[in-house]
Amino acid sequence: MRRVVAVYGTLSDLLSVASNKLGIKATSVYNGKGGLIDDIALIRDDDVLFVCEGEPFIDPQTDGRAQEELTGSHTDWLTLNVGGRYFTTTRSTLVNKEPDSMLAHMFKDKDAWGNKQDPRGAFLIDRSPEYFEPILNYLRHGQLIVNDGINLLGVLEEARFFGIDSLIEHLEIAIKNSQPAEDHSPISRKEFVRFLLATPTKSELRCQGLNFSGADLSRLDLRYINFKMANLSRCNLAHANLCCANLERADLSGSVLDCANLQGVKMLCSNAEGASLKGCNFEDPSGLKANLEGANLKGVDMEGSQMTGINLRVATLKNAKLKNCNLRGATLAGTDLENCDLSGCDLQEANLRGSNVKGAIFEEMLTPLHMSQSVR
């Protein structure tokens, strides 16, 4: 509604005239740029003035709804009841930074989701307040700030629930950086002995994948321990008792196992390249056979070892020293024995079918090797 009036007297007089002319209770006067007039002396000739009943200034040349979204939303205060704790914020805080989030959809339009309110008028949200607080602060200022004692994983779960995508990335990085660095340092003899003493004798010891590289484990009782895929490279295992231990796919390269007890040991597909196994005992009186099928035994020194009935099927023993070994009844089918020193060995009843004996030394064997036992 537009009216042309003469301006005179005081500001109160102007408001009174405007109230009569426009049929409203005018309380404020603005200039054409939205500036609040608090002194009539500020009014110039031909000024276009706007009067209102107390509501914020809205430029009539702009869309009223758009203006409300731009200015009014910042003063549209809301109270949220999150898990019994109250948070006061503005609608724009919940909407503007993450417009595609669940919170934005919940509060973009009044009652768009039919949000339930408690007796105090606060909007009810059934989530954890301690995890919601960092999310609300992030929407306020764009910084991830989490107080001590707050689990970042909990905040991450809430961020995913509310669909705060930009915060999710920040949290994932923060969680990754907060994790302690993985300790890949080898386990020492002292640490392992302490572990052995603290474990009940009837409990199964599992050391799969552990790093013992270079450790001195000599003369220890390691019976029945599961060392599957463990790193035992360059270890000193001389005179250790490894009866029935599981060394499947373990790395024993360069290790010393001289005079170790290896009765019934499982070393399938293990890597013992360059290891020393002189004088080891693989022979179990009860008939339990050691299994080294598929093992890498290149260049090992097994001189004088007792290996009756041992399973070395498809193992690689290229350039190995097996001088004076007892291989009676051993399974050597498909084994690579190229350039292997088998002098003085007992190979009675051994199965050498399909094995590669190119360049192998058989001089002074206790039991003659029959040609029918080898096909290569």
Side-chain angles (χ1 to χ4, degrees):
M1 183 180 297
R2 298 171 183 264
R3 291 288 187 275
V4 178
V5 298
V7 177
Y8 59 89
T10 64
L11 186 61
S12 297
D13 294 332
L14 174 60
L15 292 172
S16 178
V17 172
S19 297
N20 293 329
K21 292 283 187 179
L22 300 174
I24 63 173
K25 188 177 181 179
T27 59
S28 304
V29 180
Y30 295 89
N31 62 23
K33 295 182 179 180
L36 179 65
I37 304 294
D38 58 3
D39 188 341
I40 199 168
L42 298 175
I43 302 175
R44 299 178 181 179
D45 293 341
D46 299 326
D47 269 353
V48 176
L49 303 177
F50 299 88
V51 294
C52 67
E53 295 179 295
E55 67 271 16
F57 172 78
I58 299 176
D59 189 343
Q61 297 184 19
T62 62
D63 179 73
R65 181 175 178 182
Q67 186 69 18
E68 181 182 355
E69 292 178 355
L70 291 172
T71 60
S73 62
H74 290 276
T75 58
D76 189 1
W77 289 92
L78 303 171
T79 300
L80 310 178
N81 181 345
V82 183
R85 182 175 166 187
Y86 289 91
F87 296 88
T88 300
T89 186
T90 62
R91 193 180 301 274
S92 63
T93 296
L94 301 175
V95 172
N96 290 353
K97 187 170 182 60
E98 289 281 346
D100 295 325
S101 69
M102 180 187 293
L103 284 172
H105 286 294
M106 289 172 67
F107 296 101
K108 184 175 182 179
D109 298 316
K110 294 182 179 180
D111 300 324
W113 277 36
N115 301 316
K116 293 185 178 181
Q117 296 173 270
D118 67 8
R120 292 172 55 178
F123 292 97
L124 291 164
I125 299 178
D126 185 20
R127 303 300 294 182
S128 169
E130 65 177 5
Y131 298 143
F132 180 79
E133 183 176 13
I135 293 175
L136 181 58
N137 286 333
Y138 174 78
L139 294 175
R140 285 167 172 159
H141 48 60
Q143 299 295 319
L144 174 60
I145 300 175
V146 181
N147 295 332
D148 293 340
I150 302 297
N151 192 329
L152 288 174
L153 290 173
V155 181
L156 175 60
E157 186 60 31
E158 294 301 288
R160 287 173 174 164
F161 176 81
F162 288 114
I164 315 297
D165 293 337
S166 60
L167 179 57
I168 291 173
E169 183 177 354
H170 286 296
L171 283 164
E172 289 175 342
I173 294 173
I175 290 170
K176 182 178 180 180
N177 293 336
S178 67
Q179 299 297 323
E182 293 186 17
D183 185 7
H184 295 290
S185 58
I187 298 172
S188 67
R189 178 186 180 92
K190 183 178 180 180
E191 291 172 325
F192 191 52
V193 169
R194 188 183 298 120
F195 173 62
L196 290 174
L197 294 175
T199 306
T201 54
K202 293 184 179 180
S203 299
E204 180 184 5
L205 284 176
R206 296 186 177 185
C207 299
Q208 298 103 310
L210 295 184
N211 184 6
F212 295 91
S213 180
D216 179 8
L217 304 179
S218 60
R219 300 183 183 276
L220 292 180
D221 186 356
L222 307 175
R223 290 175 295 172
Y224 302 101
I225 296 179
N226 188 345
F227 288 106
K228 186 175 181 179
M229 294 185 290
N231 182 0
L232 293 155
S233 61
R234 298 178 289 102
C235 278
N236 182 4
L237 288 158
H239 297 276
N241 186 355
L242 287 158
C243 176
C244 296
N246 186 353
L247 292 163
E248 183 178 346
R249 299 184 184 278
D251 184 1
L252 291 154
S253 57
S255 293
V256 176
L257 292 95
D258 296 344
C259 301
N261 182 6
L262 296 167
Q263 294 175 333
V265 71
K266 295 179 181 179
M267 292 178 61
L268 287 82
C269 302
S270 61
N271 176 24
E273 183 171 355
S276 178
L277 291 93
K278 292 184 289 186
C280 289
N281 181 24
F282 292 87
E283 185 178 350
D284 187 355
S286 66
L288 185 62
K289 298 180 180 180
N291 191 349
L292 281 74
E293 183 172 338
N296 177 14
L297 300 167
K298 289 182 181 178
V300 298
D301 188 349
M302 305 178 78
E303 183 175 348
S305 292
Q306 296 296 317
M307 296 188 283
T308 300
I310 192 172
N311 181 7
L312 288 165
R313 183 177 177 274
V314 299
T316 300
L317 284 153
K318 188 175 182 179
N319 300 317
K321 297 178 182 178
L322 280 81
K323 190 174 181 178
N324 300 321
C325 286
N326 183 357
L327 287 163
R328 183 184 292 260
T331 299
L332 295 161
T335 304
D336 185 358
L337 297 167
E338 184 176 348
N339 298 323
C340 186
D341 186 356
L342 291 157
S343 58
C345 286
D346 184 354
L347 286 163
Q348 186 174 348
E349 300 179 1
N351 179 6
L352 287 155
R353 184 168 298 167
S355 61
N356 177 17
V357 295
K358 181 180 178 181
I361 301 173
F362 293 99
E363 287 85 353
E364 301 178 3
M365 290 173 46
L366 296 181
T367 302
L369 174 66
H370 298 289
M371 296 302 294
S372 62
Q373 289 180 285
S374 176
V375 296
R376 286 192 286 174

